[in-house]
């Protein structure tokens, strides 16, 4: 390629031949539009060559224009599918690298028929352009030189018969005297700075036609006409191709849509099939943990959970909650053999274990990490106890010694010698000043914990002394032996006080209640028994007589007892009722030790399988009802913020409870007859109560102070409801009226007109424009809240509807029927949508979940039922804890709990477990490695593999709390 214009051959523009016509614009003053005859020496004929034209130009000035000109000459009037009719030489495009540059250029000019000069001051100054032009003028016809003015000036001097070189600055010197008469040229000076230099520009297309006509040997008119025909043909062809492409695209799109639709249908059908499969497997699996995993998988297989998947989840949760707790983490395994004793540090952060080997092991309770090994005993250790301040540990061993250790460093502080046979038990006094030890040498010894001095050897101790336990006030010590059973001593004097009245078997474990009034004992051949600690009389027996419990422990709050059983389980009982709360399963051999964490939320169990297992209990408070009412509880309502509950009872009171703890906060007294209903104002500041004394009373919810009494009804008021904006109250009475009141002034506003009958319920629509009522002897109706006029009567009702509830969006009404059904109506048309059957008696109350996806119902059959509002299917099995008819149900504002009231005088809360929580609980036991085998191959990533990524579904309140 040629380099710069100063020292290298000038750039060879591509072919462009001068049109037989002049540029259509007015010629410059110095140029002539008159044709001139070519000089005689330019009349030589030129044989056709490889190129139709040779373009000579300045690279610095006209590279862009030369390229556009070459392309335009090739494309003008050419069918799109054909190659160019001729070739035009331009050095940048036509020359390859060569050591003989000028020879290549000379050969190209030899092979060209026309010479196109892009004239400009830069071209005039270029030695290569001048050399190319000089060669052409000497070897080729001069009339085949075409001039394209790109910059500068051209002026013809007619008198001199040559260019006016005083004015002309765009031509090389070789053209001096080169023309006998004025030549034609094309003026393209306007292209400099033009954004578009191509055939799309009309001016450029016309200039190219001027040059291309003589190259093709046709007139410009013929060339332009052919170009127009080719343009029309291309336009038609392009439109046809676009149309065809659009049609093909539409066809492909339709095929693609059909493909994806079919694929999505197939995927949806597969997901439904898998969801049903997992739901069925969840119902059948014997493991409650596996059932949880399978139920979560079933629910989340489809975009909206299948009814059978929701039902499977409910059943799995209920099965899971039948056990009182679950493994908090994998077992602690020190590979030491038996674990005969386990104890918590007072702050609940560490565990100490003994048994199987001489060493005492200390563990981190949160992580399960082994922290320290206390080595010093020469025979297996039997018992370990933490000092009340958590700084020391005491251990008893078969090596006949008791040792005291620094719990932080693990250093041995003291050895208490004196026993002559293995020491079976050691216990700190609750005040931390003394230690008691029991040995097979028939002695129980009390030691000064600080000095190690022996204080007492207790009277009447027998051989084979087994467990020891201090009373909470440190004044008494209880112990047991094979021959004498349980004995109680005065800890200060060592004097024997009394034994237990009645057979107790060989007691392997005993524990004092927190208040020191009771002793619990566990016997290998008997059950767990509770005794009066003062008199020694038996108070109750827990479990079956065939149960073999070898270790027993009270919960810190004194409401539960845990027992380590020979059947490989940990049993838990409610002390107040004696009812079993379930068993913790997981050990593979006999469980021989059990201990509560100081906060009562966890249990540690030791087994002959060599492991310690930590269990998290499902609730840290006893699974008992909210008790305090002395007669039937008729109604319950949540505060709008979900922190409190209010219950109304036939005992003429309303009680307010803390929803989190179940603690009784206040009792509202003022009614003279049974209270039938209670309702919280939307802002949470007031309570309204309805009573059989024919009044409605308003109360300050914070202080419990009575505010106002609404009088007007002449019979018992059965229902009261606040309007959504809190400005009005609606009440329903057995005097066959429904009244609306101004909540601020207590003034009656209006009464509903028309037959109301013995109205039992009245509720506002969510927008406050309508009321719905339920009556014992007339059909349920919808009323206009402003005028009091009836709007419509619900269709296809049972004999009587006892309770009604609006869906949160106001589009549906649910009703509780005396025929044992829950029905749902369309609120606009009154058309019956669904009938839910399941209760075995009258349904007295119904409530929607806050998100409108679930219903809760209360029945005379003493059950609470949860329903899927869309499908009508029951979710889980009936919730049965109440002993008698359930009178009302209410959802918590967040939809995670249901409160129920009953004729058994109680209020109960039903809690829920979310999908995320269910996976976390199950994974603690199963481990992630069990998931592929549980779900099967090629089922995708198990949902429970990453519980934190799960989007929980609306929860199902299923656990009595």
């Amino acid at each position: 390629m040629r380099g710069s214009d100063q020292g290298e051959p000038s750039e060879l523009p591509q072919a462009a031949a001068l049109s037989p016509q002049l540029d259509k614009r007015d010629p410059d003053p110095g140029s002539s539009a008159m044709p001139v005859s070519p000089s005689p020496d330019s009349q030589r004929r030129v044989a056709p060559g490889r190129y139709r034209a040779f373009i000579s130009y300045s690279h610095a000035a006209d590279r862009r224009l030369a390229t556009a000109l070459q392309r335009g000459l090739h494309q003008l009037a050419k069918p799109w599918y054909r190659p160019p009719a001729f070739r035009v030489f331009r050095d940048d495009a036509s020359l390859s690298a060569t050591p003989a540059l000028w020879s290549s250029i000379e050969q190209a000019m030899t092979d060209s028929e026309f010479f196109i000069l892009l004239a400009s001051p830069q071209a005039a100054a270029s030695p290569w352009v001048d050399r190319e032009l000089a060669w052409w003028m000497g070897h080729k016809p001069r009339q085949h030189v075409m001039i394209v003015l790109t910059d500068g000036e051209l002026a013809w001097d007619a008198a001199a018969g040559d260019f006016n070189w005083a004015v002309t600055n765009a031509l090389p010197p070789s053209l001096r005297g080169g023309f006998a008469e004025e030549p034609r040229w094309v003026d393209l000076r306007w292209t400099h700075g033009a954004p578009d230099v191509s055939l799309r520009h009309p001016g450029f297309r016309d200039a190219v036609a001027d040059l291309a006509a003589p190259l093709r040997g046709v007139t410009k008119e013929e060339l332009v006409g052919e170009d127009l025909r080719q343009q029309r043909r291309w336009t038609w062809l392009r439109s046809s191709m676009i149309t065809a492409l659009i049609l093909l695209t539409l066809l492909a799109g339709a095929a693609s849509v059909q493909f994806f639709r079919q694929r999505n249908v197939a995927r949806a059908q597969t997901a439904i099939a898998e969801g049903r499969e997992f739901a069925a497997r969840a119902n059948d699996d014997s493991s409650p943990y596996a059932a949880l995993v399978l139920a979560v998988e079933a629910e989340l297989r489809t975009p909206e959970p299948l009814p059978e998947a929701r039902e499977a989840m409910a059943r799995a949760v209920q099965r899971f909650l039948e056990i009182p707790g679950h493994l908090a983490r994998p077992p602690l395994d020190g590979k030491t053999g038996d674990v005969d004793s386990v104890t918590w540090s007072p702050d609940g952060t560490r565990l100490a274990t003994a048994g199987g080997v001489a060493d005492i092991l200390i563990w981190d309770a949160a992580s399960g990490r082994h922290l320290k090994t206390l080595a010093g005993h020469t025979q297996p250790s039997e018992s370990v106890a933490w000092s009340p301040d958590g700084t020391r540990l005491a251990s008893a061993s078969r090596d006949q010694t008791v040792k005291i250790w620094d719990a932080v460093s693990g250093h041995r502080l003291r050895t208490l010698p004196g026993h002559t046979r293995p020491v079976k038990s050691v216990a700190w006094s609750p005040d931390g000043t003394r230690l008691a030890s029991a040995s097979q040498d028939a002695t129980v010894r009390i030691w000064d914990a600080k000095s190690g001095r022996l204080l007492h050897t207790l009277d009447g101790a027998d051989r084979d002394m087994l467990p020891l336990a201090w009373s909470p006030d440190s004044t008494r010590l209880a112990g047991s032996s094979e021959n004498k059973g349980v004995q109680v001593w005065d800890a200060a004097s060592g004097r024997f006080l009394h034994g237990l009245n009645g057979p107790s078997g060989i007691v392997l474990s005993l524990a004092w209640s927190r208040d020191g009034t009771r002793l619990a004992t566990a016997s290998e051949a008997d059950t767990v028994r509770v005794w009066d600690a003062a008199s020694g009389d038996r108070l109750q027996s827990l479990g079956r007589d065939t149960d073999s419990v070898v270790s027993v422990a009270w919960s810190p709050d004194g409401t539960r007892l845990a027992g380590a059983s020979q059947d490989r389980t940990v049993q838990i009982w409610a002390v107040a009722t004696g009812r079993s709360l379930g068993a913790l399963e997981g050990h593979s051999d006999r469980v021989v030790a059990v201990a509560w964490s100081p906060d009562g939320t966890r249990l540690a169990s030791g087994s002959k399988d060599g492991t310690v297992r930590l269990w998290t209990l499902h609730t840290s408070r006893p699974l008992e009802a909210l008790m305090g009412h002395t007669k039937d509880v008729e109604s319950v309502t949540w505060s709008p913020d979900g922190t409190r509950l209010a219950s109304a009872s036939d005992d003429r009171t309303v009680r307010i409870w803390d929803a989190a703890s179940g603690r009784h906060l206040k009792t509202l007294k003022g009614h003279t007859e049974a209270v039938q209903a209670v309702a919280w104002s939307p802002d949470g500041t007031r309570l309204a109560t309805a009573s059989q004394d024919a009044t409605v009373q308003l109360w300050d919810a914070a202080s419990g102070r009575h505010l106002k009494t609404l009088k007007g009804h002449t019979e018992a008021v059965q229902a009261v409801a606040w309007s959504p904006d809190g400005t009005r109250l609606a009440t329903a009475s057995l005097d066959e009226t429904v009244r609306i009141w101004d909540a601020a002034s207590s003034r009656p506003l209006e009464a509903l007109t028309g037959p109301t009958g013995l109205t039992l319920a009245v509720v506002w629509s969510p927008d406050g424009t309508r009321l719905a009522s339920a009556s014992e002897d007339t059909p349920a109706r919808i009323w206009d809240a402003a005028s009091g006029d009836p709007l419509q009567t619900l269709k296809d009702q049972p004999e009587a509807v006892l309770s009604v509830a609006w869906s949160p969006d106001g589009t549906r009404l649910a009703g509780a029927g005396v025929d044992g059904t829950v029905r749902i109506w369309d609120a606009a048309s009154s058309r019956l949508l669904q009938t839910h059957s399941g209760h075995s008696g009258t349904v007295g109350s119904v409530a929607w979940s806050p998100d409108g996806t679930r219903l809760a119902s209360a029945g005379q059959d003493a059950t609470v039922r949860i329903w899927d509002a869309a499908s009508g299917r029951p979710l889980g099995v009936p919730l049965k804890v109440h002993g008698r008819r359930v009178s009302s149900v209410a959802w918590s504002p967040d939809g995670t709990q249901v409160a129920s009231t009953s004729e058994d005088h109680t209020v109960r809360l039903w809690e829920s477990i979310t999908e995320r929580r269910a996976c976390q609980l199950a994974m603690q036991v199963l481990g992630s490695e069990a998931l592929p085998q549980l779900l099967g191959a090629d089922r995708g990533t198990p949902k429970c593999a990453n519980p934190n990524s799960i989007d929980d579904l609306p929860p199902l309140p299923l656990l009595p709390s």
Side-chain angles (χ1 to χ4, degrees), residues 770-782:
R770 293 166 293 171
L771 284 164
S773 64
S775 175
E776 191 174 283
D777 54 359
T778 58
R781 286 185 168 86
I782 299 177

Side-chain angles (χ1 to χ4, degrees), residues 419-672:
H419 286 293
T420 59
R421 296 195 67 189
V423 185
K424 302 293 289 184
S425 180
V426 65
W428 289 88
S429 64
D431 60 11
T433 62
R434 289 161 292 172
L435 273 169
S437 59
S439 169
Q440 289 181 337
D441 63 5
T443 67
V444 173
R445 298 174 182 240
I446 298 179
W447 314 79
D448 182 276
K450 185 175 182 180
S451 65
R453 181 171 57 90
L454 178 65
L455 300 176
H456 298 290
T457 299
L458 302 186
D459 297 337
D462 192 17
R463 66 181 299 275
D464 293 331
M465 291 299 298
L466 298 169
L468 290 175
W470 288 86
S471 64
D473 60 2
S474 301
T475 62
R476 290 165 292 172
L477 188 68
S480 173
S481 67
E482 290 186 12
N483 294 328
K484 293 187 177 181
V486 176
Q487 298 170 280
V488 180
W489 293 274
D490 179 273
S493 65
R495 180 173 55 89
F496 172 77
L497 297 177
H498 61 80
L500 299 181
N501 301 324
S504 58
I506 299 175
V507 174
L508 303 177
S509 176
L510 48 83
W512 291 84
S513 64
R514 188 174 185 179
D515 60 4
T517 62
R518 291 166 292 174
L519 267 172
T521 61
S523 170
E524 185 174 5
D526 208 339
T527 185
V528 172
R529 298 181 186 272
V530 180
W531 310 79
D532 184 283
S535 66
D537 294 337
R538 187 176 70 182
L539 300 176
Q540 65 186 132
S541 296
L542 306 179
R544 301 164 301 189
D545 290 339
T546 56
D547 288 341
S548 179
V549 179
V550 298
S551 177
V552 67
W554 289 85
S555 63
D557 61 6
T559 62
R560 288 163 289 176
L561 275 167
S565 176
Q566 300 263 38
D567 65 2
R568 307 177 183 179
T569 68
V570 176
Q571 303 283 337
I572 301 179
W573 295 273
V575 177
T577 63
R579 181 169 60 91
S580 172
L581 299 178
L584 304 176
E585 299 179 359
H587 284 292
S588 60
D589 204 340
R590 292 175 297 151
V591 185
V592 293
V594 65
W596 291 85
S597 65
D599 61 3
T601 63
R602 292 167 292 172
L603 273 171
S605 59
S607 168
K608 292 294 184 181
D609 64 9
T611 67
V612 176
R613 293 180 181 251
L614 300 184
W615 310 85
T616 296
L617 302 183
H618 290 154
T619 176
S620 59
R621 57 191 163 109
L623 306 181
E624 302 295 336
L626 309 185
M627 304 178 71
H629 287 295
T630 58
K631 292 187 177 182
D632 299 358
V633 186
E634 301 290 351
S635 177
V636 66
T637 182
W638 291 82
S639 64
D641 62 4
T643 61
R644 292 167 292 170
L645 285 159
S647 57
S649 170
D650 288 351
D651 65 6
R652 305 179 185 180
T653 69
V654 172
R655 287 179 174 255
I656 301 176
W657 314 83
D658 180 82
S661 66
R663 183 168 56 91
H664 171 235
L665 300 177
K666 283 184 174 57
T667 300
L668 310 183
K669 297 180 179 180
H671 285 290
T672 58

Side-chain angles (χ1 to χ4, degrees), residues 1 11 37 129 188 234 273 383 432 436 572 602 681 741 808 841 866 938:
M1 295 296 181
E11 300 82 333
S37 299
V129 173
L188 287 181
W234 167 243
S383 176
I572 301 179
R602 292 167 292 172
S681 65
W741 311 76
I866 309 294
D938 302 325

Side-chain angles (χ1 to χ4, degrees), residues 621-779:
R621 57 191 163 109
L623 306 181
E624 302 295 336
L626 309 185
M627 304 178 71
H629 287 295
T630 58
K631 292 187 177 182
D632 299 358
V633 186
E634 301 290 351
S635 177
V636 66
T637 182
W638 291 82
S639 64
D641 62 4
T643 61
R644 292 167 292 170
L645 285 159
S647 57
S649 170
D650 288 351
D651 65 6
R652 305 179 185 180
T653 69
V654 172
R655 287 179 174 255
I656 301 176
W657 314 83
D658 180 82
S661 66
R663 183 168 56 91
H664 171 235
L665 300 177
K666 283 184 174 57
T667 300
L668 310 183
K669 297 180 179 180
H671 285 290
T672 58
E673 297 291 342
V675 186
Q676 296 294 108
V678 60
W680 225 296
S681 65
D683 62 4
T685 62
R686 293 166 291 172
L687 281 165
T689 56
S691 169
Q692 288 186 1
D693 63 10
T695 69
V696 174
Q697 298 196 17
L698 302 184
W699 312 80
D700 182 273
S703 65
R705 181 171 56 89
H706 178 262
L707 300 176
K708 292 178 181 178
T709 299
L710 281 60
K711 296 182 178 180
H713 287 292
T714 58
E715 297 287 344
V717 185
Q718 295 293 110
V720 62
W722 292 86
S723 63
D725 60 6
T727 62
R728 293 167 292 172
L729 281 164
T731 57
S733 170
L734 296 183
D735 64 8
E736 301 189 7
T737 67
V738 173
R739 296 177 180 269
I740 300 177
W741 311 76
D742 182 275
S745 65
S746 305
R747 180 172 55 88
L749 298 177
E750 56 200 321
L752 305 187
T753 60
T756 58
L758 302 177
T759 308
L760 303 177
V762 62
V763 286
W764 292 84
S765 64
D767 61 4
T769 62
R770 293 166 293 171
L771 284 164
S773 64
S775 175
E776 191 174 283
D777 54 359
T778 58

Side-chain angles (χ1 to χ4, degrees), residues 890-909:
W891 288 84
S892 63
D894 63 2
T896 63
Q897 291 179 281
V898 165
S900 60
T901 62
S902 170
E903 289 181 349
D904 65 4
H905 308 174
T906 67
V907 178
R908 290 189 181 269
L909 298 182

